Amino acid sequence: MPYLILTVALVALDQLVKILVLNNIAHVPFIPHILELTYVQNTGAAFSLFEEHTWILALISLVMSLVLAFALWKNFFRHPLGKVTLTLLLAGAVGNLIDRVFRGFVVDMF
């Protein structure tokens, strides 16, 4: 149960940050000369692979979300670090799924 709460909190935080980025950031130095925040609409996967097939990537996000949720529910990892890792992956997959379904792209900023 605490991992479900953590997942929901992380997805909510992810969506909040993305809304802030959509409304406020085009290009901002985050850590000067090291890391900058730049708003990008990513319709593909890593390095814009499959950029014309957002629906396939949404389906993959859905399947992975279900697999990760099942692994978490079935205690695939017994160690808390393994469960937190699954939780982080699940939150990321759900956040990307929300973006793909409702925006048609994933909001990227790093």
Side-chain angles (χ1 to χ4, degrees), residues 21 24-32 35-39 109-110:
V21 167
N24 300 306
I25 293 178
H27 180 82
V28 176
F30 189 65
I31 301 172
L35 180 64
E36 298 176 347
L37 296 178
T38 303
Y39 165 59
M109 73 230 38
F110 289 102

Side-chain angles (χ1 to χ4, degrees), residues 43-86:
T43 58
F47 308 108
S48 295
L49 294 172
F50 304 108
E51 65 183 314
E52 298 299 321
H53 303 290
T54 300
W55 68 273
I56 292 174
L57 296 170
L59 183 62
I60 291 169
S61 292
L62 175 62
V63 169
M64 287 310 304
S65 295
L66 294 172
V67 168
L68 292 165
F70 182 77
L72 196 56
W73 178 58
K74 285 294 194 177
N75 288 318
F76 186 78
F77 292 112
R78 300 204 185 280
H79 194 278
L81 184 59
K83 291 179 182 183
V84 168
T85 301
L86 284 176

